[in-house]
Amino acid sequence: MSEFIDLYDQNRKLLNREVDRTTYLFQPGEFMMYVLAILENSQGEFLVTQRAFNKKWAAGNWEMPGGGAKSKESSLDAIKREVKEETGLDVKNGGVVYSYFNEDNDRHDNYFVDIYHFKFDFDLNDVQLNTCESINCKCVTLDELISMNQEQSFLHYERIMKALQQEK
């Protein structure tokens, strides 16, 4: 199934080109946009999800909700959609707290990531997992998140920690 995305240059400017994410090989200086959401409840716990085992990359690993921005979709619209699709939660009040980019021309894996932080009142009963995306979820404290990464690599862990530290 095709999923069309926009291409950006290294300065995050649109190249006015739309490509199929599933088949396109990124060339040097071409990037796509990813978004991640740090979802923090009123108890100061973070929602983490476990990737479905049928995922092409990092199947079964724990992560924060997020994914790729679709063509013509802003970063903010993408994170709202991704969180809703994966968890059933609506996010409103929050913003980008950290951004980074990756350029791996050997693997054609070039992307930007915007990490958002949303603080709102929710608990696990409010979460409706999309089992095509995630097979499990839980709310964890910061110490538990650190322990999870020590037991098994937590996706984007270092960048998430940088995002949280930047807010202090």
Side-chain angles (χ1 to χ4, degrees):
M1 183 172 166
S2 297
E3 182 178 327
F4 291 95
I5 59 168
D6 292 321
L7 291 181
Y8 297 84
D9 70 12
Q10 64 189 30
N11 297 313
R12 298 174 63 130
K13 292 189 180 181
L14 279 171
L15 294 174
N16 295 317
R17 289 184 47 218
E18 183 180 275
V19 297
D20 183 342
R21 175 182 173 185
T22 59
T23 59
Y24 187 73
L25 295 177
F26 292 89
Q27 300 306 305
E30 295 177 337
F31 299 86
M32 71 171 286
M33 174 69 70
Y34 281 108
V35 290
L36 292 175
I38 299 170
L39 305 177
E40 184 176 355
N41 66 19
S42 56
Q43 290 79 41
E45 297 172 321
F46 304 100
L47 179 67
V48 297
T49 57
Q50 186 178 19
R51 290 174 65 84
F53 288 115
N54 64 347
K55 289 288 193 177
K56 181 177 173 182
W57 181 76
N61 282 51
W62 287 90
E63 66 179 348
M64 298 287 183
K70 294 181 179 181
S71 181
K72 312 294 185 253
E73 190 173 49
S74 71
S75 174
L76 180 60
D77 289 340
I79 197 59
K80 287 179 178 182
R81 177 188 49 77
E82 284 288 343
V83 170
K84 183 72 171 174
E85 283 179 5
E86 291 180 25
T87 69
L89 298 172
D90 288 314
V91 291
K92 294 177 181 137
N93 298 322
V96 174
V97 294
Y98 188 75
S99 294
Y100 67 96
F101 76 95
N102 179 75
E103 186 168 18
D104 184 342
N105 292 318
D106 293 335
R107 293 178 49 218
H108 303 279
D109 192 23
N110 303 345
Y111 55 85
F112 290 97
V113 179
D114 284 340
I115 300 177
Y116 287 78
H117 192 172
F118 297 96
K119 297 179 184 181
F120 61 107
D121 191 26
F122 70 90
D123 62 36
L124 285 178
N125 293 327
D126 300 320
V127 177
Q128 299 171 15
L129 280 185
N130 173 348
T131 55
C132 294
E133 297 288 332
S134 304
I135 56 169
N136 198 1
C137 69
K138 55 186 170 182
C139 290
V140 299
T141 65
L142 183 58
D143 287 341
E144 290 169 327
L145 179 62
I146 293 167
S147 292
M148 288 177 76
N149 184 62
Q150 291 170 344
E151 293 170 19
Q152 176 190 357
S153 180
F154 190 96
L155 296 180
H156 310 284
Y157 174 79
E158 290 180 21
R159 308 301 178 126
I160 292 164
M161 296 307 286
K162 284 183 181 182
L164 291 170
Q165 289 169 355
Q166 242 178 254
E167 289 187 293
K168 290 183 181 182

